[in-house]
Amino acid sequence: MYEYYLAIVLIPLAASIVAGLAGHKIGRAGAHWITIVGVGVSFLLSTIVLYNMFWGGYEAENLSVYTWAVTDGLHMEVGFLVDRLTALMMVVVTFVSFMVHIYTIGYMHDDPGYQRFFSYISLFTFSMLMLVMSNNFLQLFFGWEAVGLVSYLLIGFWYKRESAIFANLKAFLVNRVGDFGFILGISAVVMFTGSLDYAEVFGQAESIASQQLEVTGFSPWNAMTVVCILLFIGAMGKSAQAPLHVWLPDSMEGPTPISALIHAATMVTAGIFMVARMSPLYEFSTTALAVVIVIGALTAFFMGLLGIVQNDIKRVVAYSTLSQLGYMTVALGASAYSAAIFHLMTHAFFKALLFLAAGSVIIAMHHEQDIRKMGGIRKYMPITYWTALVGSLALIGFPGFSGFFSKDLLIEAVKESHWHGQGAVYWIAYLSVLLGVFVTALYSFRMFFLVFHGEERMSEEEKSHLHETPAVVWVPLVLLAIPSAIIGWFTVGPVLFEGYFGSAIFVDETRDVLAHLGETFWHDSLGLFTHSVVTPVFWLAAAGVFTAWFLYLKRPDIPDTIQKKAQGLYNLLDRKYYFDDLYIKGFAAGGRSFGKFLWQKGDELIIDGLLVNGTANMVGRLAGVIRHIQTGYLYTYAFAMIIGLTVLLGWLIWVR
């Protein structure tokens, strides 16, 4: 079967190479057709894999394709682990990528880098597939770094813009911090197990948990806690968890299609997937799980607050991604790995939908992105309006939409983890994700109302050109709106409560909150729907929508008044809690200042000035002194000889 799996990953790679190296020969149409067909074939084959895994009764496969090297018994291989977790991720990645490829035809229609863009996004798909299908840490790391590299290329795609170059450099450097922890975690795995293969490492999980890591000057650390926290640092970078979140909002400098692909199905989902894949390790470290849930809770709530003050339509959606990734991370920390992956799946559909809908508005507005300059667009763009409404309702967890099933049950799982005696930190996490529901509804419908409803704030010239985008743009919106609206009804039971993942995810029985929810809470989709109206989640979401309607449609004067009276709080949110100031003016500027000091004092003063030039100057000065001795007069030399002879005779008399 490995030939089958190779086809899934290599077809997008081959299409990327052809579009990238021969784009000038095959032309724009050739570039988009070959990449769209390539990722479309991968999507079709991935769907067949998922069907066989779920309905066909196929068993998980762990295949070694190629042995790259063997050193001291350590096998470095390319291989595939295809189980139900992998199959689900393959379908999500390829479907969203397929939609983005089609959408790109319309969005990038006039861009001179058309072929290059299609080459990059196809390469992005290959990289993510290699990551999710890997059966060993070496291939995982390859995919991990490959998605980072391609995101760097795509965020800075418009390389003539200084802001784009700054943004991709920022993403690259922040991820280097996370990846440093990630590679240390992989090194620790090899140190304790002598293997890179998932199956072998997971089989030794209990052994790792029983070992201690001795660090001079510190108390012994549990080996599993060290491994899991180091791996999670990598996830913090890729999945943009605080404080390594600062790169994700700036990724909006890339074209909108890549914003959708990064935020929905590739780069940022890598960290969530990795922790779920490593569940056999994390379940042996309650300390690591506590770290995960705290980081996730902080990100879910505080990054959501930043979305309220954003005026760039894409940045509002970007901060929504940060918050929703926090929700997934909280679920991971509560050992509800299935809930995290389920929310990852539903989020991929409605977040891609929201980004592409935002891009549709941007196209119609001639690349205007400030929501304060929009308004009343509903009547000009009805398809974009209704699909954006579906995405917004799914995002806030409106009953019946996909986000309702994944987000509400995720919150219930976090609450259940507290009742199971997991500690106060889980109660704080529950309050964070609960309050985040109101925040999510507020910023989502603030954007929705300001863009599509209310007063038309664009110029008359802009109105005259305002109309629905071409079919190549709105068709992907409709195709993404369908799963955003209905997929939760069909998948919530199997994925969360009926053991869909099987052995792909391991949860300790004492922390299996989803199993307990399945016994006491879950009956069927309709029962969950009717139960929702009595939960605080529903009423907080409704309150958020009502608040957005009241503040931005009914009384639009109030937000300005609030801003003036709470200027300090507004500045705190507008400056993004000063993280950028800390990193750019603190760490980066401090690093440059330290480098300048080493250059001026170390290189110029000591090395060049004292050692290199100083030696040369000393020789020159000595030569200048000696030069005066060579006068050319005989009496000078005779005098010198007499003086020398006198000194020599004096020395001989002295020593005797």
Side-chain angles (χ1 to χ4, degrees):
M1 281 292 289
Y2 74 86
E3 294 92 349
Y4 191 81
Y5 302 135
L6 275 175
I8 293 174
V9 296
L10 293 183
I11 289 175
L13 175 62
S16 171
I17 293 172
V18 173
L21 299 182
H24 62 289
K25 293 183 178 179
I26 63 177
R28 297 163 75 89
H32 72 234
W33 273 113
I34 194 169
T35 52
I36 289 173
V37 170
V39 76
V41 171
S42 288
F43 167 60
L44 178 62
L45 296 178
S46 298
T47 304
I48 295 172
V49 171
L50 180 62
Y51 177 86
N52 289 337
M53 285 285 172
F54 187 62
W55 288 281
Y58 280 39
E59 296 295 325
E61 294 188 89
N62 190 355
L63 305 171
S64 177
V65 177
Y66 172 72
T67 299
W68 176 50
V70 179
T71 174
D72 293 331
L74 183 65
H75 289 254
M76 301 182 184
E77 299 178 336
V78 175
F80 299 124
L81 172 59
V82 181
D83 53 18
R84 291 185 172 188
L85 173 59
T86 307
L88 180 64
M89 290 296 298
M90 289 162 61
V91 170
V92 170
V93 170
T94 53
F95 176 71
V96 173
S97 180
F98 187 42
M99 294 298 101
V100 169
H101 274 69
I102 296 172
Y103 178 93
T104 299
I105 297 174
Y107 193 88
M108 302 292 288
H109 182 265
D110 298 321
D111 197 282
Y114 190 84
Q115 293 97 314
R116 178 166 58 94
F117 189 82
F118 274 98
S119 175
Y120 286 171
I121 58 177
S122 190
L123 183 62
F124 212 170
T125 307
F126 157 76
S127 303
M128 191 64 185
L129 287 172
M130 286 293 286
L131 188 155
V132 301
M133 294 174 69
S134 62
N135 72 343
N136 62 83
F137 284 92
L138 179 66
Q139 187 174 326
L140 173 69
F141 188 70
F142 166 78
W144 195 266
E145 294 303 311
V147 294
L149 171 63
V150 183
S151 68
Y152 170 82
L153 296 173
L154 284 164
I155 294 169
F157 181 79
W158 287 319
Y159 54 85
K160 293 184 179 180
R161 296 182 181 179
E162 289 188 14
S163 58
I165 297 304
F166 178 81
N168 74 348
L169 181 61
K170 186 177 182 181
F172 188 82
L173 293 177
V174 171
N175 273 276
R176 295 289 65 74
V177 176
D179 292 353
F180 180 66
F182 191 61
I183 193 66
L184 287 178
I186 294 175
S187 301
V189 167
V190 174
M191 180 176 70
F192 289 116
T193 66
S195 177
L196 289 165
D197 184 79
Y198 289 165
E200 293 183 24
V201 172
F202 296 162
Q204 298 184 53
E206 193 170 354
S207 173
I208 301 174
S210 65
Q211 299 182 56
Q212 299 291 319
L213 183 65
E214 300 288 343
V215 180
T216 303
F218 295 91
S219 301
W221 296 343
N222 179 267
M224 185 62 81
T225 297
V226 172
V227 168
C228 290
I229 290 178
L230 288 173
L231 292 175
F232 180 65
I233 291 173
M236 289 170 62
K238 280 290 179 290
S239 292
Q241 296 298 286
L244 301 182
H245 65 282
V246 293
W247 67 271
L248 191 59
D250 285 1
S251 69
M252 299 301 97
E253 291 295 333
T256 298
I258 196 51
S259 299
L261 198 55
I262 288 177
H263 287 244
T266 53
M267 179 94 161
V268 299
T269 62
I272 307 300
F273 165 79
M274 185 275 293
V275 175
R277 174 62 80 196
M278 299 299 146
S279 59
L281 303 182
Y282 279 86
E283 285 300 286
F284 282 92
S285 176
T286 55
T287 302
L289 288 174
V291 171
V292 171
I293 201 169
V294 168
I295 295 296
L298 292 174
T299 305
F301 180 69
F302 288 103
M303 295 303 111
L305 289 175
L306 298 183
I308 300 173
V309 301
Q310 299 301 310
N311 296 312
D312 184 306
I313 188 171
K314 287 172 62 177
R315 285 184 181 267
V316 176
V317 186
Y319 280 104
S320 164
T321 301
L322 281 174
S323 181
Q324 296 307 305
L325 288 168
Y327 274 86
M328 299 174 208
T329 304
V330 166
L332 294 172
S335 294
Y337 306 98
S338 299
I341 296 298
F342 185 45
H343 193 50
L344 182 155
M345 177 191 72
T346 61
H347 175 265
F349 298 129
F350 62 71
K351 186 51 57 70
L353 171 59
L354 286 171
F355 265 113
L356 298 188
S360 179
V361 172
I362 292 169
I363 293 172
M365 291 289 296
H366 297 283
H367 295 278
E368 175 60 64
Q369 297 183 197
D370 192 333
I371 60 178
R372 295 169 299 183
K373 299 179 181 179
M374 301 178 188
I377 293 179
R378 173 183 55 172
K379 65 181 181 182
Y380 301 100
M381 307 180 69
I383 299 176
T384 300
Y385 169 78
W386 287 109
T387 54
L389 178 60
V390 169
S392 299
L393 291 173
L395 173 60
I396 70 170
F398 188 83
F401 289 80
S402 61
F404 160 72
F405 294 101
S406 61
K407 191 173 175 181
D408 280 29
L409 287 171
L410 184 156
I411 294 171
E412 288 291 330
V414 177
K415 182 176 73 172
E416 193 69 22
S417 68
H418 169 69
W419 297 129
H420 271 60
Q422 302 269 359
V425 68
Y426 288 77
W427 180 245
I428 295 172
Y430 170 66
L431 291 178
S432 296
V433 294
L434 192 61
L435 293 174
V437 172
F438 173 82
V439 174
T440 301
L442 177 57
Y443 67 67
S444 298
F445 275 85
R446 168 183 177 264
M447 178 185 73
F448 185 79
F449 290 142
L450 286 177
V451 172
F452 293 105
H453 290 271
E455 178 187 354
E456 297 178 0
R457 295 177 294 277
M458 65 286 288
S459 66
E460 291 299 325
E461 182 181 356
E462 289 173 326
K463 289 181 189 179
S464 65
H465 298 291
L466 196 57
H467 57 80
E468 188 60 79
T469 45
V472 73
V473 173
W474 64 254
V475 167
L477 299 184
V478 174
L479 294 177
L480 285 165
I482 294 171
S484 297
I486 67 173
I487 198 170
W489 291 93
F490 308 107
T491 55
V492 60
V495 172
L496 293 188
F497 304 115
E498 296 170 12
Y500 163 78
F501 289 111
S503 60
I505 289 177
F506 170 76
V507 183
D508 188 280
E509 291 183 1
T510 61
R511 288 197 294 271
D512 195 351
V513 291
L514 289 176
H516 187 261
L517 284 177
E519 296 171 358
T520 61
F521 185 78
W522 167 254
H523 301 291
D524 54 43
S525 300
L526 186 59
L528 178 63
F529 181 83
T530 55
H531 173 78
S532 65
V533 296
V534 300
T535 64
V537 176
F538 171 78
W539 294 107
L540 283 169
V545 175
F546 175 78
T547 303
W549 170 82
F550 183 77
L551 292 179
Y552 297 100
L553 289 184
K554 187 70 175 177
R555 291 290 305 277
D557 57 302
I558 293 180
D560 289 336
T561 304
I562 295 175
Q563 178 182 335
K564 292 175 183 177
K565 292 187 176 181
Q567 192 66 44
L569 177 61
Y570 176 82
N571 290 337
L572 179 67
L573 297 178
D574 187 53
R575 298 294 293 273
K576 303 169 237 180
Y577 306 118
Y578 299 96
F579 274 108
D580 281 344
D581 292 329
L582 174 63
Y583 294 154
I584 296 170
K585 298 179 181 178
F587 295 148
R592 290 194 300 271
S593 298
F594 183 62
K596 184 178 181 180
F597 171 80
L598 292 178
W599 160 52
Q600 292 179 334
K601 304 302 181 183
D603 192 29
E604 287 192 333
L605 180 62
I606 298 176
I607 297 175
D608 286 345
L610 184 60
L611 298 180
V612 178
N613 296 331
T615 303
N617 292 335
M618 183 180 66
V619 171
R621 284 192 289 269
L622 181 61
V625 172
I626 295 175
R627 187 183 303 117
H628 292 295
I629 299 175
Q630 304 295 328
T631 62
Y633 294 110
L634 183 61
Y635 64 81
T636 302
Y637 301 138
F639 178 75
M641 291 172 64
I642 293 170
I643 296 297
L645 183 60
T646 303
V647 171
L648 179 61
L649 290 174
W651 179 75
L652 289 174
I653 294 171
W654 175 263
V655 297
R656 291 185 64 186

